[in-house]
Amino acid sequence: MAEERPAVALRIEESFHSGCPKHPSTRERIEAHLGRVREARPGEQAIELHFDVVRRGATSDGTLTLSLAGVSVERKASSKSCADVVAALSMMAAIAIGEETERLSSEPENAPVPADSEATKPSTEQGAETALAGPVESPVPLDFNPPSPAVVTATREQRPGRQNARQVALSFGTSVEVDGNRGALVMPQWFGQVTFPLPLDPTLRIGLARTMGAGADSPLGEATLRWTVLAIAGCANVMRTERLQLGPCLNGELGRLEATRVDPLPANKLFYFWPSLGASGRLAWKVTPALSLDLTIGVRAPLIARELYFNPDREAVVYRTPAIVPFVGAGVVVRAL
């Protein structure tokens, strides 16, 4: 009966973008190819694996860094499917670990080493470097079905540390919002937004909006109302596919209401500032890697109640701030960075 090999000691680190599969884990994938593996004990020499998968546009780019005895090498994979990238990187990790395990098991444990052969004897570090670097195209087990969409490349690099390739995304856009503040009030908006490379892809959007003139009248005369708004929204993605993103947003506005009395003369203007808070849901459809369409539906609540009337008569109210303002908006977002 063949002697059972001991479990391979590994240290595994993972950094995947949202939407990547969590199960099976990379350890389970490697174990399916190699057999027994285990987590290395503190201070124990082991093979270190770092999986890093980031999204660039519609593509998932993955990097596998393998380290042993001071030597680090890289393997890379790229595909529109993160699941294919993770499967390809796990397969490459299993091949490299299997080659290193085979090399160590084939070395004699207590073989004498002549004193004059030190210059030609491969050191532990050199052996690890040879095993980890390996050929660019490693043999694939017959029972493994590689994901055909993945484009796999391998490079060898000596480096002291790891770099995180995830980047902040900067975008600009414009939208048109219709809210129920006073009938169907139309409000164009121009904005910029920043998306951070963190779980749920948190996004901060800052915009400036201004409504068209809306007429208001009372028994004492007529007025024109306009709203100017500095809008801030923080959003996250709870569902993400290659094309669609869906998530909640928290909205805050600092607005100014401008009322101009147009009849009867003399005309005069009034200005009122007010803050508001709200919540919304955002659906984004990615048309291309750099262009997406947004649909937002939500409500906001003014924090200060205002009533406009023609002085000095407080009975003829021209405008009263509603308690809840529903709104819906559609926009175009273009990624700049």
Side-chain angles (χ1 to χ4, degrees), residues 111-123:
V113 180
D116 58 351
S117 65
E118 291 296 326
T120 58
K121 178 179 67 66
S123 66

Side-chain angles (χ1 to χ4, degrees), residues 109-169:
E109 294 183 2
N110 298 314
V113 180
D116 58 351
S117 65
E118 291 296 326
T120 58
K121 178 179 67 66
S123 66
T124 303
E125 180 175 334
Q126 291 172 331
E129 178 178 348
T130 302
L132 287 180
V136 172
E137 296 182 2
S138 301
V140 181
L142 295 179
D143 60 346
F144 178 75
N145 185 18
S148 57
V151 180
V152 180
T153 60
T155 60
R156 177 182 179 276
E157 178 184 356
Q158 292 273 20
R159 61 176 186 174
R162 304 185 181 99
Q163 296 180 352
N164 192 343
R166 307 182 75 179
Q167 297 179 351
V168 174

Side-chain angles (χ1 to χ4, degrees), residues 2 89 136 148 185 193 257 271:
L89 294 179
V136 172
S148 57
L185 194 64
Q193 69 178 33
L257 171 61
F271 300 96

Side-chain angles (χ1 to χ4, degrees), residues 45-279:
Q45 181 175 345
I47 298 177
E48 298 183 2
L49 306 174
H50 180 76
F51 294 84
D52 187 18
V53 182
V54 299
R55 182 180 295 278
R56 294 187 177 91
T59 303
S60 293
D61 292 337
T63 302
L64 165 65
T65 303
L66 302 95
S67 301
L68 176 64
V71 177
S72 295
V73 298
E74 283 188 351
R75 298 290 186 265
K76 294 182 180 295
S78 180
S79 173
K80 291 185 177 181
S81 169
C82 182
D84 291 343
V85 173
V86 175
L89 294 179
S90 301
M91 180 266 296
M92 288 186 283
I95 292 175
I97 295 170
E99 292 175 350
E100 173 64 9
T101 304
E102 187 69 25
R103 183 189 68 81
L104 294 176
S105 63
S106 63
E107 291 183 351
E109 294 183 2
N110 298 314
V113 180
D116 58 351
S117 65
E118 291 296 326
T120 58
K121 178 179 67 66
S123 66
T124 303
E125 180 175 334
Q126 291 172 331
E129 178 178 348
T130 302
L132 287 180
V136 172
E137 296 182 2
S138 301
V140 181
L142 295 179
D143 60 346
F144 178 75
N145 185 18
S148 57
V151 180
V152 180
T153 60
T155 60
R156 177 182 179 276
E157 178 184 356
Q158 292 273 20
R159 61 176 186 174
R162 304 185 181 99
Q163 296 180 352
N164 192 343
R166 307 182 75 179
Q167 297 179 351
V168 174
L170 176 63
S171 305
F172 297 94
T174 183
S175 65
V176 176
E177 178 182 299
V178 179
D179 63 34
N181 195 339
R182 184 177 176 82
L185 194 64
V186 179
M187 183 162 54
Q189 181 179 164
W190 297 265
F191 58 84
Q193 69 178 33
V194 180
T195 302
F196 299 93
L198 298 172
L200 301 182
D201 297 331
T203 300
L204 177 64
R205 175 180 293 186
I206 301 177
L208 183 65
R210 182 172 172 83
T211 69
M212 311 296 185
D217 57 73
S218 74
L220 297 181
E222 298 179 359
T224 299
L225 306 179
R226 291 180 185 271
W227 285 261
T228 303
V229 179
L230 176 64
I232 302 176
C235 302
N237 292 324
V238 296
M239 186 196 78
R240 179 166 187 167
T241 65
E242 295 295 334
R243 290 288 185 179
L244 297 179
Q245 301 173 9
L246 177 64
C249 300
L250 293 178
N251 304 83
E253 292 88 13
L254 178 62
R256 187 182 81 161
L257 171 61
E258 173 186 319
T260 304
R261 182 173 180 175
V262 296
D263 183 48
L265 297 177
N268 60 350
K269 289 186 178 181
L270 299 175
F271 300 96
Y272 291 94
F273 288 90
W274 87 97
S276 65
L277 294 177

